[in-house]
Amino acid sequence: MHLFTIAASVIPNPTPVVPEQAGGLLTILNWASGIGLVLGVLGVIIVGIGMVIQLQRGEGAQAIGKLGWVLMGCIIITGAAGIVQAFV
């Protein structure tokens, strides 16, 4: 155990610091993420309306695939902004 304690004290633990020049980029990323999420929610609402209409026509199974694509897009938008912010 003592060897592990010594090795752990040698490993540096840097604290991430955002450079001053990255402030504008972070603002753009936050806006893009927010706009993407609003459009994603709007997309889910539109697909939901389409599902109701298609269910009344008897074509409900096709709309579930569209909902999956919209939700996947929301996940990608949200994840992309977080990944880029981690590296900036």
Side-chain angles (χ1 to χ4, degrees), residues 15-62:
T15 56
V17 177
V18 177
E20 295 178 15
Q21 298 85 0
L25 179 62
L26 291 177
T27 302
I28 291 171
L29 288 174
N30 287 332
W31 273 96
S33 176
I35 291 170
L37 288 176
V38 168
L39 292 176
V41 169
L42 184 63
V44 170
I45 292 171
I46 291 171
V47 169
I49 292 170
M51 286 176 72
V52 170
I53 293 170
Q54 289 180 353
L55 280 172
Q56 289 180 350
R57 292 182 185 168
E59 308 167 346
Q62 296 173 357

Side-chain angles (χ1 to χ4, degrees), residues 1-2 5-7 19 21 25 29 43 49 52 56-58 61-62 66 72-73 81 83-85:
M1 280 305 239
H2 185 64
T5 308
I6 293 171
Q21 298 85 0
L25 179 62
L29 288 174
I49 292 170
V52 170
Q56 289 180 350
R57 292 182 185 168
Q62 296 173 357
K66 292 178 185 177
M72 186 64 81
I83 290 169
V84 171
Q85 283 182 352

